[in-house]
């Protein structure tokens, strides 16, 4: 998994009206889950892609760091930032599944990941690496697909069951885990009807 090569190829054609619509819905769901002090904090949009979600959240934080393993995706984010009036954003090409975040010295109070875990083979390793950037009580927000037995693929996970993902997060040092489904769509996951959940957790401290 990882599928970095795929995202490198599709970066220039990634943004579509459907993806933009879901990104806005997702960003609004994330806004509702942010801690009250988030506006004075630093956030990492990990696996940001072309920044569809994170660009809608720039006003919610003091600084947003867009991070992705695909350099072509990062290039598009940088173009969007150049065209916007926001100066509170940075970008970094980072594969946190295979690279320690300490090598780029990132720190944040909030990390959000949107449809990222389904591409990750070593989920525990990724969560452990991301946890290094958060202070005690730092917030992690995950948006991804609910488990879907109709999806069969060797390229992605077929969604996530609540109990298993919760156990994984506990092992990676997170607590106060809450999850809810917020969106249902047609043909949105490997051409199958699917639903998206939003999960919040805090780093144990």
């Amino acid at each position: 998994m990882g599928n970095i090569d795929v995202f490198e190829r599709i970066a220039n054609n990634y943004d579509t009206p459907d993806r933009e619509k879901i990104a806005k819905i997702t960003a609004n769901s994330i806004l509702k889950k942010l801690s009250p002090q988030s506006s004075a904090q630093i956030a990492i949009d990990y696996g940001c892609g072309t920044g569809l979600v994170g660009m809608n959240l720039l006003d919610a934080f003091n600084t947003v760091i867009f991070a992705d393993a695909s350099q072509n995706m990062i290039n598009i984010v940088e173009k969007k930032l150049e065209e916007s009036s926001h100066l509170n954003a940075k970008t970094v090409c980072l594969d946190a599944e295979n690279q320690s975040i300490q090598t780029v010295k990132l720190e944040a109070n909030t990390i959000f990941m949107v449809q990222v875990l389904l591409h990750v083979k070593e989920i525990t390793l990724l969560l452990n690496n991301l946890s290094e950037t958060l202070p005690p009580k730092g917030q992690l927000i995950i948006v991804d697909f609910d488990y879907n037995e109709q999806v069969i693929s060797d390229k992605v996970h077929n969604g996530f069951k609540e109990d298993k993902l919760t156990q994984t997060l506990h092992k990676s040092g997170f607590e106060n885990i809450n999850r809810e489904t917020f969106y249902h769509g047609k043909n949105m996951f490997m051409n199958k009807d699917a639903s998206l959940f939003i999960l919040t957790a805090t780093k144990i401290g």
Side-chain angles (χ1 to χ4, degrees):
M1 295 182 189
N3 302 320
I4 298 172
D5 58 332
V6 174
F7 288 109
E8 290 280 58
R9 291 197 304 269
I10 68 175
N12 289 325
N13 299 306
Y14 188 79
D15 291 3
T16 64
D18 284 344
R19 286 195 172 112
E20 291 171 355
K21 172 188 172 184
I22 294 173
K24 289 180 180 179
I25 293 171
T26 299
N28 287 334
S29 296
I30 291 174
L31 280 172
K32 295 174 183 177
K33 301 295 183 181
L34 294 178
S35 58
Q37 65 272 29
S38 65
S39 61
Q41 295 184 344
I42 300 172
I44 296 174
D45 178 0
Y46 182 74
C48 64
T50 60
L52 284 175
V53 174
M55 292 294 292
N56 287 293
L57 294 171
L58 287 171
D59 292 333
F61 299 96
N62 184 55
T63 302
V64 175
I65 300 170
F66 291 87
D68 200 281
S70 165
Q71 183 62 58
N72 286 341
M73 290 289 192
I74 290 296
N75 292 343
I76 291 174
V77 174
E78 290 174 348
K79 289 179 182 178
K80 290 181 178 181
L81 291 172
E82 288 175 3
E83 295 169 357
S84 76
S85 58
H86 292 89
L87 301 176
N88 64 326
K90 304 175 183 178
T91 61
V92 60
C93 188
L94 172 68
D95 179 3
E97 186 181 0
N98 297 297
Q99 175 185 0
S100 172
I101 290 184
Q102 295 306 316
T103 62
V104 290
K105 299 180 180 180
L106 293 184
E107 294 183 355
N109 308 95
T110 301
I111 297 173
F112 54 92
M113 296 188 291
V114 179
Q115 296 180 40
V116 173
L117 285 189
L118 78 158
H119 298 284
V120 175
K121 183 177 181 180
E122 301 293 341
I123 291 175
T124 299
L125 177 59
L126 173 65
L127 292 174
N128 288 343
N129 284 342
L130 292 177
S131 177
E132 293 178 3
T133 74
L134 290 171
K137 305 301 182 182
Q139 187 177 35
L140 174 68
I141 302 175
I142 296 172
V143 174
D144 223 308
F145 289 104
D146 288 310
Y147 177 76
N148 191 333
E149 62 183 10
Q150 294 184 356
V151 173
I152 301 174
S153 173
D154 59 357
K155 300 293 185 182
V156 296
H157 296 284
N158 59 340
F160 298 93
K161 294 181 178 179
E162 181 171 3
D163 55 350
K164 187 173 182 179
L165 184 54
T166 296
Q167 290 174 8
T168 301
L169 285 160
H170 279 308
K171 291 178 181 178
S172 296
F174 291 94
E175 61 183 356
N176 302 321
I177 300 167
N178 294 286
R179 167 174 166 158
E180 65 180 81
T181 296
F182 71 96
Y183 185 81
H184 298 266
K186 295 283 188 181
N187 303 319
M188 64 181 295
F189 186 17
M190 304 294 285
N191 294 316
K192 304 293 183 183
D193 295 354
S195 57
L196 287 167
F197 68 83
I198 184 167
L199 178 151
T200 59
T202 54
K203 182 176 177 179
I204 294 173

